[in-house]
Amino acid sequence: MNEPTAYGRPAGHERAAVEVHHPTPLAPVLPAAPLVPVQPGTIPAVTSIVLPDGRVVTGYALEPAKPEPVVAKPVVSRVAVNIALGGIGFGAVCGGLVLLTTFIAALAALIHQLIILAAVIFGGWVAVQVFSASGHRGGTTVNIRKAVIKRNKFYG
C-alpha cells in the first residue's frame, strides 16, 4: 500500500478536487460628493459619503496631490560652464607664469653680469696695486749683494 506511484508518491494519498473561487467585481464608483477644503495645520473633519448602492464610506477628506512644478533646464549645463571658466582661469595663470619665469631668468642674468663686472673691477684694482710703478710709501728696503754660500752658510 505504501508503494510509490509513477509520480513518486505513495499510493492512497491522491489529491482531492480543487475548488476555485472567483472574486465578485465591484460596481464602478460614481463621482463622489465635492470635498470641503481644509486649512493647513488643522485636523480635517471626518466625511461620510453614501454610494449609489447604499454603502457608506467614512474617512478624511484629502486634497488631490499637486504635481511639482517643472524646473526649466538651462541650455548649457553648469558642469560645462565650470569647465570653461576653469580653462580660462588656467590660461590666465599660464600667461602669468610665463611672464614670471621670464622675469626670473632676466633677473638671474642681471645678477650674473653684475658679479662678472665686480670681479673685473676688483681684479683690475688688485692688478694696479700690485704692478704700480710708484715709489714705496714705507716698509723695509733690502739690498741684495753678491753673496757666497759655502757649506749651507751664508756669507754676505
Side-chain angles (χ1 to χ4, degrees), residues 74-97:
V75 177
V76 180
S77 71
R78 291 183 182 183
V79 174
V81 171
N82 289 340
I83 290 173
L85 290 176
I88 292 170
F90 183 72
V93 168
C94 285
L97 289 177

Side-chain angles (χ1 to χ4, degrees), residues 125-141:
W125 180 77
V126 169
V128 167
Q129 295 300 319
V130 169
F131 297 115
S132 68
S134 63
H136 293 289
R137 296 182 194 148
T140 306
T141 302

Side-chain angles (χ1 to χ4, degrees), residues 29 46-51 53-59:
V29 179
V46 176
T47 307
S48 296
I49 298 174
V50 179
L51 297 176
D53 61 354
R55 292 182 293 165
V56 177
V57 178
T58 305

Side-chain angles (χ1 to χ4, degrees), residues 22-35:
H22 296 285
T24 308
L26 295 175
V29 179
L30 297 175
L35 299 175

